[in-house]
Amino acid sequence: MAAIDVTDATFQAEVIDKSQEVAVVVDLWAPWCGPCKTLGPIIEKVIDATDGKVVLAKVNVDENPGIAQAFQAQSIPAVYALKDGAVVDGFIGAYPEHEVQRFVDSLQPTEEQVAIKELIDAGDEGSLRIALSREPANEDAIVALAELLIADGNNDEALALLGRIPESDRTRHVAALARVGVAPDDDYDEQLTALLDQVKTDDEARQKYVDLLELMGPNDPRTADYRRQLTSRLY
């Protein structure tokens, strides 16, 4: 897989967002940098051999000073590895090939991780349960299985499954769906208005109100107003 030339404008999409899917190695270089010319072909060769398991993003710091500033790079070549939007490793200088190989090898998924991803990608209940037997706290597998369980009406099991892992934006939405079920016929307004008088003293009403807002989502223009009304009733 060829290296990607990344700019200040494309850094978010090509590096930060991409690192949510696969490890991304950022190589900061410049045309005048002798050690960069030594390291460049080595790191390209090693990462190309991963067949896409690691992605190389090259940044000309002369043309894209914003990225260099973001990494607070004091000299080049500077190499940083990102996973899930965060820097997990890095080095400065022109490392020899065996050191670059060791660096890149540490970023590649293990055979077990690859097997679990394949099970999750399969997406059927049996595969997801096998994935969770091998990695019980895998959020992707838990969310996917919970969604299947909700579709089959097994909402309590879905909620118990979601309770295994810390709450996140993804789990809150799926948990809300498990508790509320299908969207109300009135498109939320009628139920939210009716619940508003109960939220201060009734825990179940308050939870349902919050769940309905979760299902509406932050992009619904009504959500912010209903949240303000909830806050005014509670405090």
Side-chain angles (χ1 to χ4, degrees):
M1 183 176 181
I4 303 167
D5 289 317
V6 174
T7 67
D8 288 342
T10 63
F11 182 79
Q12 178 67 41
E14 297 286 8
V15 176
I16 301 298
D17 295 346
K18 187 68 175 178
S19 73
Q20 304 291 340
E21 306 168 10
V22 65
V24 178
V25 172
V26 179
D27 176 20
L28 304 184
W29 69 284
W32 48 263
C33 169
C36 297
K37 295 176 182 178
T38 300
L39 177 65
I42 294 172
I43 201 166
E44 289 176 24
K45 171 188 172 184
V46 172
I47 291 180
D48 189 56
T50 69
D51 292 324
K53 295 184 179 70
V54 180
V55 172
L56 176 61
K58 296 184 70 68
V59 179
N60 182 335
V61 296
D62 286 350
E63 297 176 353
N64 303 281
I67 297 175
Q69 291 171 7
F71 283 110
Q72 298 181 334
Q74 300 298 312
S75 62
I76 55 172
V79 177
Y80 301 93
L82 287 84
K83 288 184 178 180
D84 298 322
V87 175
V88 296
D89 204 353
F91 63 86
I92 305 293
Y95 275 28
E97 184 170 336
H98 70 278
E99 291 290 348
V100 173
Q101 185 70 61
R102 183 183 305 172
F103 173 79
V104 172
D105 285 346
S106 72
L107 303 173
Q108 295 192 65
T110 64
E111 289 185 8
E112 177 72 358
Q113 289 170 329
V114 171
I116 290 172
K117 185 179 185 304
E118 289 175 350
L119 288 166
I120 294 171
D121 289 344
D124 60 277
E125 183 174 339
S127 296
L128 292 169
R129 290 191 183 279
I130 293 171
L132 285 174
S133 72
R134 298 168 74 164
E135 190 177 334
N138 186 294
E139 182 176 309
D140 290 335
I142 285 175
V143 169
L145 180 54
E147 289 174 337
L148 290 182
L149 291 170
I150 293 167
D152 289 338
N154 299 319
N155 294 1
D156 289 342
E157 185 181 355
L159 287 169
L161 192 64
L162 292 166
R164 290 187 189 180
I165 55 177
E167 189 178 82
S168 67
D169 289 343
R170 296 171 72 196
T171 63
R172 275 194 297 274
H173 185 84
V174 177
L177 186 61
R179 285 188 290 262
V180 174
V182 297
D185 293 335
D186 64 84
D187 195 27
Y188 303 104
D189 288 302
E190 185 176 326
Q191 286 202 44
L192 287 168
T193 302
L195 288 166
L196 201 54
D197 289 332
Q198 307 170 48
V199 293
K200 189 172 181 64
T201 57
D202 187 329
D203 290 343
E204 289 187 9
R206 183 165 61 253
Q207 181 65 67
K208 186 172 183 180
Y209 189 100
V210 171
D211 285 340
L212 288 171
L213 294 182
E214 184 67 42
L215 295 180
M216 287 168 63
N219 294 326
D220 190 305
R222 300 167 296 173
T223 299
D225 181 58
Y226 276 121
R227 287 196 184 279
R228 283 193 293 270
Q229 292 186 58
L230 174 64
T231 300
S232 67
R233 293 299 179 98
L234 294 177
Y235 305 104

